[in-house]
Amino acid sequence: MDLTPTADQASLVRSVADFFADRMPMTLVREGFDRPSAIDSTFWKQLAELGWFGLGLTEDVGGAGYALADEALLFREVGRRLVPGPLIATTIGARLAARAGEHALLASILDGNAAVALAVPRHDVVSDTTTRRFLVLDAIGAELVLVAYPDEAALYSLDAFAGLAPTASIDDATRVSTGELGDASPVARVADGADALWRRGTVLTAAVLTGISAGVRDMAVQHAKTREQFGAPIGVHQAIKHRCADMAVRIEAAETLLTVAALCVDEGRADADFHASAARLIAADAALTGARDNIQIHGGMGFSFESDAHLYVKRTHVVDLMFGSRTDHAAALIHADAAL
Amino acid sequence: MELRFSADEDAFRERARTWLAANFPTEERPRSGKAMGEFDRAWLRRQWEGGWAGVSWPKEYGGQGLPLIHQLIWYEEYAKMGAPPIDSCFVGVAHAGPTLMAQASPEQQAFHLPQILRGDVIWCQGFSEPQAGSDLASLRTYAEIDGDELVVTGQKLWTSFADLARYQELLVRTDRSAAKHNGLTWVICDLTTPGITIRPITTIEHEQHFCEVFYDEVRIPISNVVGQINDGWRVAMSTIAFERGTAFTVGQVQLADLIERLIDVARTLPGPDGRRPAIADDEIARKLATVRAQVAALRAMTYANISRNAKQAQPGPEGSMIKLYFTEVQQRLMRLAVSILGPEALRDGLAGGRPWVHNYFLSYGATIGGGTSEIQRNIIGERVLGLPR
């Protein structure tokens, strides 16, 4: 048992952090707000060259052979830096294509030619039947749509969704469309088995949320150290200091549980679903509460568009829809067998 | 990174489990007083005889000299087995012992450490005072130097198990003119010394395990000073992250057991509407799921902390995060238990109900003892995040 990253893992995280800082700094993230698509084709190709979409796939199908625990460390950087675009859906979509044996499809995803949008089921009216209507996240510029449930997952082409149309988005960096899934056959489908895609999607979602929480902590702490009022940095005051300390504790909980959840998947443990749902819940709380507190700590500045504080809140709300809601995961967790 | 344990560690776990199953005392542990102290000492003695006391203590001090991870495994199995706690011996094994290992002279170590590990003696702390709680360094109990003796006069407060203890980690002021952190001395106090009066204090749970201790010109040999005169603050702080992160392992495994038992209770006990079991109530189910996730996170934090500490000589301030999280999750769990039990929680002596209520009241003390949650947040803010004081 050792939950500390190895030297190799630490250097991998550093190189990915440098890559994002160089290719997708916050200035570029903000420039993307006014573009039609959140998928910057240059950046998407660079991600593909890095091997991003096949990080966790085996080398024989064109992947990099990393464990989910490695992927989770790297997806934390996506959240921390608010990297735009459907990175989780495309990564899971590539895995689905590999599992379905759709090699041409897989190649186009891995090459960066086909981005995968994520469909989030939505109910327009109260109904206990499975809805065919979806919010589709970052459909614009994507070639495929991932529709995932705990027990099955499928990739569709965009035109499988009737009336797919852009709608308003809570997050400046995420394009949201609505549409209804017709009778078209998927281009790839798998019934989830031992290598559950849903479980991996849940862990990567938790990773992005955990990264967001670390990003807001760093922002809040930096502000608390430098912003002076009453002749001293505001971080001397316990009202600020304790808020920051609580953030740090929630993040420690989120980061360590995320690692455990990813390792449970990598090591094929029977309590992998338990830990994935638990990590998802803890990470969402760390991100939401931290992002909210960060705005409060920044005062008036935190309410301005110029500050990045609001971007973390907005992205959190979007990511929090992916691979099941907190209600879904709370329900899954309460009915799961106890952790080993 | 890996979650699985090595074959050697698994073998150690199996040995621990086998030994515990055959050896832990099954008779009920007395709830308080001398009988409890005797019970705890006898049980620690049996662990020592079996070669299980001080798993990660160095061999030169009578321990097993095994890695920290073995200590974790031992505590996990200990708690899973439901082996009784040795609360009254905790300060000796988990705090005084490590302090002596780090700071005491070879003579002091040779005399005291084996006694601690064998369960010969109970130790207590002597830090808090009526006017020095969270602001520990403002303590006033004064020791005048008279030849080769310290003459101590003053009062300590909230001293757990002082009434059962033979020795005390006593922090006193030896220089009133120095800055408050610089005039303190850490000394081993034999509680049988004349001039000491100990009065137990009754807790909100009707128990008497903490005390106030009065000193009236108590003469302690200077040879009992650990470290140097006026260097006591450094000595006291050296073991603040005691047991390098394993100290909460038993409590954490117990919480994991409690949340599972509470979920079982919620499956059968009527919920708020009286028509369905409590777990069918959305709010209760959600709270149970949240606490279940938090208990899992607590274990992850413990594992991560032990992973870190296994690689560094000095434990970092991350232990404060575990203390804060552990005690707050504990309170949340116990509050939830009382709300699920509903009216049943009010009935003292109810079979199956009483332990919940007992633990509920005990949890109020958890965020106060050993450094309040507010002090932990200061430590996290300043030492983990680097915020200004």
Side-chain angles (χ1 to χ4, degrees), chain B residues 60-270:
Chain B
E60 57 186 299
Y61 302 131
Q64 311 304 315
L66 292 167
L68 198 55
I69 201 160
H70 287 70
Q71 184 74 67
L72 167 80
I73 292 168
W74 166 255
Y75 281 144
E76 281 191 333
E77 293 309 315
Y78 186 102
K80 282 183 198 164
M81 195 69 70
I86 50 162
D87 288 352
S88 65
C89 297
F90 181 81
V91 166
V93 172
H95 197 271
T99 305
L100 295 175
M101 280 184 239
Q103 307 290 343
S105 68
E107 295 75 26
Q108 290 167 332
Q109 290 172 344
F111 182 79
H112 288 288
L113 290 173
Q115 293 190 61
I116 289 174
L117 212 51
R118 281 198 306 259
D120 292 351
V121 289
I122 289 169
W123 278 65
C124 62
Q125 279 191 342
F127 290 0
S128 295
E129 297 183 6
Q131 301 301 324
S134 290
D135 183 11
L136 176 60
S138 71
L139 64 87
R140 296 175 184 181
T141 295
Y142 185 69
E144 192 174 347
I145 297 168
D146 180 18
D148 56 2
E149 288 179 324
L150 295 178
V151 185
V152 178
T153 299
Q155 183 194 348
K156 293 290 173 182
L157 195 58
W158 318 130
T159 309
S160 293
F161 308 115
D163 53 337
L164 307 176
R166 172 67 192 270
Y167 294 106
Q168 182 177 42
E169 317 173 87
L170 184 59
L171 198 56
V172 293
R173 186 162 301 284
T174 35
D175 184 350
R176 284 173 171 144
S177 63
K180 67 179 183 179
H181 293 86
N182 297 338
L184 304 176
T185 297
W186 199 108
V187 62
I188 301 165
C189 175
D190 182 338
L191 289 169
T192 60
T193 314
I196 295 176
T197 308
I198 298 169
R199 288 192 203 137
I201 300 166
T202 304
T203 70
I204 65 173
E205 230 333 53
H206 304 286
E207 291 180 338
Q208 295 185 332
H209 62 69
F210 66 167
C211 306
E212 48 188 346
V213 185
F214 300 88
Y215 309 81
D216 182 12
E217 298 188 0
V218 176
R219 304 188 81 86
I220 304 174
I222 280 186
S223 59
N224 278 17
V225 170
V226 172
Q228 303 298 314
I229 297 277
N230 295 334
D231 193 27
W233 184 255
R234 188 187 59 79
V235 175
M237 291 302 109
S238 68
T239 40
I240 201 149
F242 47 97
E243 283 218 309
R244 295 188 291 159
T246 61
F248 293 105
T249 308
V250 170
Q252 172 234 303
V253 174
Q254 286 168 345
L255 279 195
D257 179 53
L258 281 176
I259 183 64
E260 297 310 324
R261 281 168 48 198
L262 186 57
I263 289 170
D264 284 343
V265 168
R267 286 197 175 108
T268 52
L269 212 65

Side-chain angles (χ1 to χ4, degrees), chain B residues 270-282:
Chain B
D273 66 9
R275 295 191 296 274
R276 299 173 303 165
I279 203 164
D281 181 87
D282 286 345

Side-chain angles (χ1 to χ4, degrees), chain A residues 100-112:
Chain A
E102 297 287 345
H103 298 297
L105 189 67
L106 172 62
S108 67
I109 296 173
L110 293 185
D111 291 348

Side-chain angles (χ1 to χ4, degrees), chain A residues 4 241-242 246 252 333, chain B residues 292 308 311 377-378 382:
Chain A
T4 54
K241 183 177 288 177
H242 287 187
D246 284 333
E252 177 76 359
L333 187 57
Chain B
R292 212 178 189 192
R308 274 191 294 260
K311 293 177 182 174
R377 288 188 178 94
N378 284 351
E382 289 156 19

Side-chain angles (χ1 to χ4, degrees), chain A residues 5-340:
Chain A
T6 62
D8 282 352
Q9 285 171 321
S11 96
L12 187 65
V13 169
R14 265 197 308 279
S15 67
V16 161
D18 290 346
F19 171 84
F20 287 147
D22 184 40
R23 309 296 167 90
M24 192 47 74
M26 202 56 91
T27 49
L28 268 190
V29 173
R30 282 176 172 267
E31 278 176 29
F33 293 172
D34 298 323
R35 300 215 178 93
S37 168
I39 303 164
D40 176 321
S41 55
T42 310
F43 176 64
W44 207 255
K45 280 284 188 187
Q46 289 166 342
L47 274 174
E49 281 161 25
L50 202 66
W52 187 274
F53 307 116
L55 284 171
L57 295 180
T58 51
E59 289 168 21
D60 59 313
V61 295
Y66 286 112
L68 185 59
D70 302 311
E71 281 189 282
L73 286 174
L74 300 183
F75 271 86
R76 274 160 57 176
E77 296 305 309
V78 172
R80 185 198 282 271
R81 287 154 199 284
L82 296 176
V83 175
L87 274 72
I88 298 177
T90 304
T91 299
I92 298 297
R95 194 171 196 90
L96 193 163
R99 287 232 356 242
E102 297 287 345
H103 298 297
L105 189 67
L106 172 62
S108 67
I109 296 173
L110 293 185
D111 291 348
N113 291 321
V116 180
L118 182 69
V120 177
R122 63 182 288 232
H123 286 269
D124 296 334
V125 292
V126 176
S127 160
D128 58 4
T129 57
T130 305
T131 182
R132 302 292 288 174
R133 294 192 55 78
F134 293 88
L135 288 181
V136 186
L137 307 179
D138 285 327
I140 301 170
E143 302 288 319
L144 301 161
V145 181
L146 172 68
V147 179
Y149 298 101
D151 52 355
E152 66 168 330
L155 283 174
Y156 290 89
S157 65
L158 277 186
D159 54 20
F161 288 80
L164 192 64
T167 179
S169 171
I170 191 175
D171 177 28
D172 304 277
T174 307
R175 304 289 166 265
V176 180
S177 304
T178 58
E180 183 158 354
L181 185 56
D183 297 329
S185 299
V187 293
R189 184 206 296 270
V190 295
D192 246 351
D195 182 38
L197 296 164
W198 178 265
R199 185 186 298 151
R200 285 177 171 268
T202 300
V203 171
L204 295 185
T205 302
V208 171
L209 290 167
T210 300
I212 287 174
S213 69
V216 292
R217 172 203 56 201
D218 293 350
M219 213 182 142
V221 168
Q222 181 60 27
H223 189 70
K225 284 178 183 173
T226 49
R227 167 69 175 168
E228 293 198 4
Q229 286 289 276
F230 306 105
I234 59 172
V236 302
H237 304 298
Q238 289 181 326
I240 301 292
K241 183 177 288 177
H242 287 187
R243 240 182 231 267
C244 291
D246 284 333
M247 271 188 204
V249 174
R250 283 191 297 266
I251 291 159
E252 177 76 359
E255 288 182 347
T256 58
L257 185 56
L258 171 69
T259 297
V260 166
L263 290 171
C264 282
V265 175
D266 287 332
E267 296 177 11
R269 281 172 53 133
D271 54 358
D273 282 329
F274 176 104
H275 281 104
S277 287
R280 173 75 174 75
L281 290 175
I282 297 290
D285 178 53
L288 273 172
T289 313
R292 204 165 59 213
D293 284 355
N294 184 39
I295 289 187
Q296 182 67 23
I297 287 169
H298 275 77
M301 192 65 199
F303 190 61
S304 73
F305 191 82
E306 181 189 341
S307 165
D308 292 335
H310 65 111
L311 302 179
Y312 286 99
V313 175
K314 292 171 177 175
R315 183 66 61 84
T316 301
H317 285 295
V318 170
V319 178
D320 196 29
L321 291 172
M322 298 177 179
F323 293 92
S325 65
R326 271 173 285 147
T327 304
D328 295 334
H329 286 286
L333 187 57
I334 202 65
H335 293 113
D337 288 338
L340 299 177

